Amino acid sequence: MNEHRISHFLDKAQYCEDHQLWLEAAQYYQRLIAEAPETLEFHLRLAAVYGEMGNVHAAERVLLKLLALDAPKQDVLLALGTLFYKHEDLDKALFYFEQLVPFRVPQAHVTMGVIAYRRGDFVTSERHFARAQELDPAGAGIRLLHAEVLITIGRPEQAEKILRKHAKEQPADWKALHLLGIAHGAQHDWERAALAFAAALRAQPDDIDLLCASAGALMQLRRISDAEQQLRAAYQLSPDAPAVLNSLGALALLKADREKAITFFSKALEIDPTNVVALEHVRLLSSTGR
């Protein structure tokens, strides 16, 4: 093994990757594999480069050869699952991730949970996130995913427990505070929801979804002027966001201004004709106005 040649090729390969020169990067990794065929990293990086080139089958062949060479099975299966997930072949991704279950790999359960969530199978998604959290209790991202799906399936109390524990360890995590507010709202505890959203806004004052969620809690509490102030800020940041327009429509209804509400909901539909919230409100307001 020529250490100098390996170092030289590795530097060249990294340069090509950094500049998205994928074909040249692949050639350098092929030369590295010829110099040191026992080095797992070179095979994995060659497969990743093929993936970037869109040549998924070439990437898969490289990784499957590693399995035949007795490479660490879990590393290779994780790379295979990740490869197909990135290229939106979810069935193939699941095929490889499911083989990782006996190896107790948290990331495999996380990605299977995300795939299930995307497919609307929230119960399976929750099961995978719960298992990932068991395997990696310190994984902050896993906690938030688990809490979000628990809220989705109607178990906000459990989500709240996870988020409160997370908040003690990472009090500045505004995304967790946002979810905590949603969990409180799902339990109709609008006072605590408003407090959680306010804390999140102190860290992230320009987040549109957060401003709308906070305004929604304030409207539930009939704090109309505070809600209006937040929605005004959201509208200035993103006047064409359907979420903002829908929230402004809800505020107009609360103020008994039906015409203004129809205007906001109709504008949301112009931007997103499939927006369910706007569709429901326009239909309701149109039928009651006859």
Side-chain angles (χ1 to χ4, degrees):
M1 179 187 295
N2 188 319
E3 297 289 348
H4 177 73
R5 279 168 61 83
I6 288 175
S7 178
H8 173 71
F9 290 155
L10 192 55
D11 287 344
K12 291 287 188 182
Q14 187 62 63
Y15 174 87
C16 292
E17 281 196 76
D18 292 342
H19 292 80
Q20 299 184 9
L21 303 170
W22 304 120
L23 180 59
E24 292 89 339
Q27 292 169 343
Y28 280 115
Y29 283 124
Q30 288 166 351
R31 295 170 78 175
L32 282 162
I33 290 168
E35 291 285 333
E38 74 287 352
T39 305
L40 175 66
E41 178 192 0
F42 299 156
H43 295 268
L44 293 176
R45 291 178 72 167
L46 175 61
V49 167
Y50 280 144
E52 293 290 349
M53 293 168 66
N55 195 341
V56 180
H57 296 299
E60 186 181 24
R61 283 196 299 272
V62 170
L63 294 169
L64 290 176
K65 283 181 183 177
L66 279 176
L67 290 179
L69 295 171
D70 293 326
K73 193 172 183 180
Q74 67 186 69
D75 292 339
V76 180
L77 289 172
L78 186 60
L80 282 161
T82 303
L83 169 72
F84 285 100
Y85 178 74
K86 285 182 176 179
H87 286 83
E88 292 293 319
D89 189 339
L90 302 185
D91 289 328
K92 199 71 176 284
L94 280 173
F95 171 76
Y96 286 117
F97 281 126
E98 284 167 354
Q99 295 180 57
L100 277 166
V101 171
F103 293 95
R104 300 166 56 86
V105 179
Q107 186 56 45
H109 286 284
V110 169
T111 311
M112 286 192 287
V114 171
I115 291 171
Y117 193 98
R118 289 175 60 182
R119 290 177 164 177
D121 185 355
F122 303 123
V123 174
T124 299
S125 177
E126 190 277 328
R127 189 177 70 244
H128 281 301
F129 291 143
R131 182 58 177 150
Q133 199 172 344
E134 287 175 13
L135 295 171
D136 183 12
I142 299 172
R143 286 186 210 145
L144 298 190
L145 288 168
H146 191 197
E148 184 174 355
V149 77
L150 283 168
I151 295 169
T152 301
I153 63 176
R155 289 156 60 185
E157 300 89 349
Q158 287 180 257
E160 183 183 337
K161 289 179 182 177
I162 292 171
L163 292 166
R164 286 198 172 283
K165 180 181 177 182
H166 180 83
K168 288 180 181 178
E169 296 178 16
Q170 299 190 34
D173 188 342
W174 69 271
K175 291 182 180 179
L177 290 167
H178 187 178
L179 281 175
L180 185 59
I182 294 171
H184 289 319
Q187 298 172 76
H188 305 288
D189 189 342
W190 299 110
E191 288 285 358
R192 289 203 297 168
L195 288 172
F197 292 138
L201 281 169
R202 285 194 288 274
Q204 195 75 14
D206 294 339
D207 186 86
I208 300 301
D209 292 332
L210 184 51
L211 282 164
C212 290
S214 180
L218 293 169
M219 282 189 270
Q220 290 289 338
L221 295 168
R222 297 300 188 268
R223 291 168 54 184
I224 306 301
S225 61
D226 291 336
E228 194 164 18
Q229 182 179 353
Q230 294 194 345
L231 290 178
R232 195 180 302 120
Y235 187 76
Q236 287 176 350
L237 288 165
S238 187
D240 293 328
V244 175
L245 295 167
N246 285 336
S247 294
L248 285 166
L251 180 64
L253 283 178
L254 199 58
K255 297 170 70 175
D257 191 337
R258 183 177 173 278
E259 293 304 318
K260 185 175 283 189
I262 290 175
T263 299
F264 282 127
F265 290 127
S266 298
K267 186 175 180 182
L269 280 179
E270 289 175 13
I271 296 164
D272 177 11
T274 64
N275 189 282
V276 175
V277 174
L279 276 169
E280 289 179 353
H281 278 91
V282 167
R283 285 172 185 164
L284 179 63
L285 289 168
S286 298
S287 62
T288 56
R290 289 172 186 168

